[in-house]
Amino acid sequence: MSQTLGPNMPETPPPSSIWALSHMKLRFFARVRRFLQTKTTQRNIKSRNKATANKEEQVTAADKRISDDDDDDSLVLQRSVKRLHFGGLEEKEMAAIEIERLAREDVKMRKLMAELGVIPALVGMVASEVAGRRRVAIKALIELANGTYTNKALMVEAGIFSKLPVKIDVLEEPTRHEFAELILSLSSLANHTQFPLASSEVLPFLIGILESGSSCETKESCLGTLYNLSAVLDNTGALLSNGVVQTLLRLISVKALSEKALATLGHLVVTLMGKKAMENSSLVPESLIEIMTWEDKPKCQELSAYILMILAHQSSVQREKMAKSGIVPVLLELALLGSPLAQKRALKLLQWFKDERQTRMGPHSGPQTARIAIGSPVNHREAQEGKKLMKDLVKQSLHKNMELITRRANATSGDSSMLKSLVMSTSSKSLPC
């Protein structure tokens, strides 16, 4: 029986209509999603393009700034060179400050400045009586000399050494240091004989600073210059005539300066004049023997032993002076606790002292010659007696210094009894037979 629907009751759509509507909605939302994805992709592409454009603009702007800076430096250089050559005193001072700044930045700029003739003008300013004006000129020259052989040669040719002040005490410490730094830089030309670096102006100036109350840093620069000059044999005469040896011997007792001073003496001692000057000094050999006890300065020990080797070689007079100054116990200690190189040199010296004692115990009891031939033949029985006496001397020296050696060795070994027994048991082997 059919049932009649009321006027207000909605008619239920057939199932096929519901599926059709759902399908349409799904297609609609899919299209919307694709549309949104397309918009997002386009937006990202535009953002990337914009970022790339911004980077290109930044690079262009940076290039422009660099170009502007180069242009500014070129303009500053032109203006500074003009003021340095044709300006007043204050303008020259300001120009030197700008030249120092530009020279510090670029080696090509230093070479260009030299071609523009700034070096002779700055060298002329070094002789100024105004301390501030003199200092800015020195600073500019230091920067111009950095890494350029040509600029250094131009400074020497312009007479920079003739501008050095004669009286050191009138200079302030910063000015002394800057002078010393500039001369050290120029001393790299020492191997070129056409440059008179060991001139009558340079050496008195350096020695004056070394003997003054200047800072260790300033004195170290002066020692570096003397080291470079002493490496050239032609400079030996000038160095010795200006009293360099005695000045260096006084400085080796200062630990902060000792290594460079000893290295310079090592250059001089190999020459006949240098060796004679050291032999005649009242500070030799005591000061050099004292340095060999510096355990915290192994390089100084090595250099001191080297100089003593040169002095003692074929000279019984010097060996006698060393023996009277107590060198044997110090050499024994150095041979036990020193660096490998220091040990080797100490043992060599000890061998000479042993050979000389054997020679004195030989059949000839008369006066010995000043030069004793090392390793000369002696009677076998006398040689054995000499060896026994030398061994006894070694034992006695070791026993006398045992406490000192043990105390110093504790810092490294931590076992004093073991070291003591080792030294006592091997005392007869301390010297080569």
Side-chain angles (χ1 to χ4, degrees):
M1 182 177 179
S2 62
Q3 184 177 4
T4 306
L5 297 174
N8 297 327
M9 296 293 295
E11 183 177 359
T12 302
S16 59
S17 299
I18 294 174
W19 285 106
L21 182 60
S22 298
H23 182 66
M24 291 176 61
K25 289 180 178 179
L26 288 173
R27 290 180 63 188
F28 173 74
F29 285 119
R31 289 180 178 178
V32 170
R33 184 174 62 184
R34 286 197 299 270
F35 175 75
L36 292 175
Q37 288 177 346
T38 304
K39 288 292 186 181
T40 302
T41 302
Q42 292 177 352
R43 191 180 300 112
N44 291 339
I45 292 173
K46 290 181 179 179
S47 298
R48 286 197 296 269
N49 293 337
K50 185 176 181 181
T52 302
N54 289 337
K55 286 184 178 180
E56 291 177 354
E57 291 177 359
Q58 291 174 1
V59 171
T60 303
D63 292 340
K64 187 175 183 302
R65 284 196 299 271
I66 292 174
S67 178
D68 292 342
D69 290 342
D70 290 341
D71 292 340
D72 291 342
D73 287 345
S74 298
L75 292 174
V76 171
L77 178 59
Q78 293 178 14
R79 184 172 62 250
S80 299
V81 172
K82 183 178 179 181
R83 289 179 176 178
L84 188 65
H85 286 299
F86 307 108
L89 296 178
E90 293 184 358
E91 289 181 321
K92 290 178 182 289
E93 187 173 341
M94 295 303 297
I97 294 174
E98 290 295 338
I99 288 173
E100 177 199 356
R101 180 184 65 81
L102 294 173
R104 190 185 303 114
E105 297 174 355
D106 187 10
V107 65
K108 293 182 180 179
M109 185 69 75
R110 296 172 209 152
K111 295 180 180 180
L112 176 59
M113 291 178 183
E115 294 175 358
L116 294 174
V118 302
I119 289 178
L122 290 171
V123 169
M125 288 179 62
V126 172
S128 174
E129 297 181 357
V130 181
R133 190 170 301 135
R134 179 171 52 205
R135 285 193 63 191
V136 296
I138 298 172
K139 289 180 178 180
L141 289 172
I142 291 173
E143 295 299 335
L144 287 169
N146 185 18
T148 56
Y149 169 88
T150 302
N151 287 7
K152 294 176 184 179
L154 289 173
M155 292 177 196
V156 176
E157 291 177 354
I160 183 63
F161 296 142
S162 64
K163 310 298 181 183
L164 296 175
V166 178
K167 296 182 179 180
I168 305 299
D169 53 354
V170 301
L171 298 177
E172 298 178 352
E173 175 58 28
T175 306
R176 295 183 191 179
H177 176 69
E178 287 154 5
F179 265 123
E181 188 177 352
L182 176 60
I183 297 174
L184 174 59
S185 178
L186 297 178
S187 68
S188 63
L189 300 173
N191 290 326
H192 303 276
T193 55
Q194 65 268 32
F195 299 109
L197 297 181
S199 62
S200 58
E201 297 91 0
V202 177
L203 293 177
F205 181 81
L206 295 174
I207 294 173
I209 291 180
L210 291 173
E211 294 181 347
S212 68
S214 300
S215 65
C216 284
E217 187 178 3
T218 301
K219 290 183 178 181
E220 192 172 1
S221 297
C222 294
L223 288 174
T225 301
L226 291 178
Y227 176 81
N228 290 339
L229 295 178
S230 65
V232 181
L233 290 177
D234 292 341
N235 294 330
T236 302
L239 291 168
L240 295 177
S241 62
N242 281 273
V244 167
V245 168
Q246 197 66 15
T247 300
L248 294 174
L249 288 172
R250 283 193 290 265
L251 289 175
I252 60 176
S253 60
V254 183
K255 287 191 174 183
L257 305 173
S258 181
E259 183 175 335
K260 189 65 72 174
L262 286 168
T264 306
L265 288 172
H267 282 164
L268 296 174
V269 74
V270 297
T271 66
L272 185 60
M273 292 185 295
K275 183 179 179 182
K276 186 176 181 181
M278 292 185 206
E279 289 175 345
N280 295 333
S281 173
S282 60
L283 298 175
V284 176
E286 287 81 4
S287 58
L288 295 169
I289 295 173
E290 173 64 25
I291 291 172
M292 289 197 298
T293 65
W294 293 357
E295 291 182 344
D296 56 335
K297 292 286 185 178
K299 186 65 177 179
C300 293
Q301 288 180 319
E302 295 169 1
L303 291 169
S304 182
Y306 170 77
I307 295 172
L308 288 169
M309 282 180 61
I310 302 298
L311 294 174
H313 181 60
Q314 294 186 346
S315 176
S316 60
V317 175
Q318 292 301 314
R319 289 196 294 271
E320 184 177 357
K321 286 176 61 177
M322 294 175 190
K324 289 181 179 179
S325 300
I327 193 174
V328 172
V330 177
L331 289 174
L332 289 169
E333 181 181 344
L334 189 61
L336 289 170
L337 303 177
S339 66
L341 182 57
Q343 289 178 347
K344 181 179 179 181
R345 291 172 176 173
L347 288 172
K348 186 66 175 178
L349 281 165
L350 286 170
Q351 180 67 45
W352 291 347
F353 282 104
K354 184 187 79 169
D355 291 343
E356 184 169 23
R357 184 175 181 84
Q358 289 176 346
T359 303
R360 288 179 178 177
M361 294 299 296
H364 301 288
S365 58
Q368 301 295 314
T369 59
R371 306 285 182 176
I372 297 176
I374 303 300
S376 57
V378 294
N379 182 274
H380 180 70
R381 184 176 60 82
E382 298 292 344
Q384 292 300 324
E385 291 180 0
K387 288 182 180 180
K388 185 177 181 300
L389 288 172
M390 191 62 192
K391 289 177 182 179
D392 293 339
L393 174 63
V394 171
K395 288 181 180 179
Q396 292 174 7
S397 298
L398 283 175
H399 288 313
K400 288 180 181 179
N401 294 276
M402 185 59 62
E403 292 183 2
L404 177 62
I405 296 175
T406 303
R407 184 170 60 254
R408 292 179 177 176
N410 281 338
T412 56
S413 67
D415 191 352
S416 60
S417 61
M418 182 180 295
L419 177 63
K420 185 172 182 179
S421 62
L422 176 63
V423 173
M424 292 179 66
S425 65
T426 59
S427 61
S428 61
K429 299 180 181 179
S430 297
L431 295 177
C433 295

